[in-house]
Amino acid sequence: MLWSDPENEPPKELRETEAMLRRMGLLLALAMLVAMFVLGIH
């Protein structure tokens, strides 16, 4: 049983949650970069 089996797709809610977490992670990384940039200037 492989995770890549097409018939073994995760439910819709799990995919939506994963996408949301991925977006949150990207936003958090961007916020940290901006914060470090601003703190580095001062």
Side-chain angles (χ1 to χ4, degrees):
M1 191 66 134
L2 294 173
W3 284 108
S4 57
D5 286 348
E7 65 269 5
N8 193 19
E9 254 188 42
K12 188 168 181 278
E13 296 86 13
L14 185 59
R15 288 199 303 267
E16 287 175 356
T17 304
E18 278 185 344
M20 189 179 69
L21 284 174
R22 205 171 294 124
R23 282 194 297 266
M24 291 283 287
L26 283 172
L27 283 174
L28 189 61
L30 279 175
M32 285 179 66
L33 280 174
V34 170
M36 286 192 298
F37 188 67
V38 168
L39 289 173
I41 286 177
H42 292 294

